[in-house]
Amino acid sequence: MSSIREDVERALDGLRQGFQADGADLTVEEATESQVTLRLVGGEETCWECIVAPGQLRDVVGSVLHETIGSRPSVQVIDPRSDQ
């Protein structure tokens, strides 16, 4: 039986391809049945304008998790664009 973290990592695989195409990635900071915390990471080569807005990103991730693992944890995305 897999852990919730492994389930989240697997669920995000499809999304990651899109982020990686724009020079970014999503990493799992924490994953429990009720809360998932992700970090959007990138560098100088990242096309930040190509990535959906923080609020939309949270909603997309929540939908993917619901479809893939069948639960709907609270999702927090640590987004460097929010710090600017």
Side-chain angles (χ1 to χ4, degrees):
M1 185 166 163
S2 61
S3 71
I4 185 69
R5 185 182 189 98
E6 291 169 330
D7 290 343
V8 169
E9 293 277 3
R10 200 168 21 263
L12 294 176
D13 281 346
L15 281 178
R16 282 194 172 115
Q17 294 174 13
F19 288 103
Q20 290 167 352
D22 293 324
D25 202 356
L26 279 175
T27 61
V28 179
E29 296 283 310
E30 180 182 359
T32 66
E33 293 289 335
S34 60
Q35 172 76 38
V36 172
T37 303
L38 306 173
R39 181 178 301 273
L40 179 63
V41 294
E44 290 181 19
E45 74 288 350
T46 303
C47 177
W48 293 109
E49 304 83 40
C50 301
I51 301 169
V52 297
Q56 290 175 307
L57 179 55
R58 185 182 62 243
D59 294 343
V60 168
V61 169
S63 293
V64 167
L65 292 178
H66 180 67
E67 291 171 13
T68 308
I69 64 176
S71 67
R72 196 176 287 275
S74 173
V75 176
Q76 177 186 11
V77 178
I78 303 166
D79 189 324
R81 298 173 297 173
S82 299
D83 296 338
Q84 297 175 1

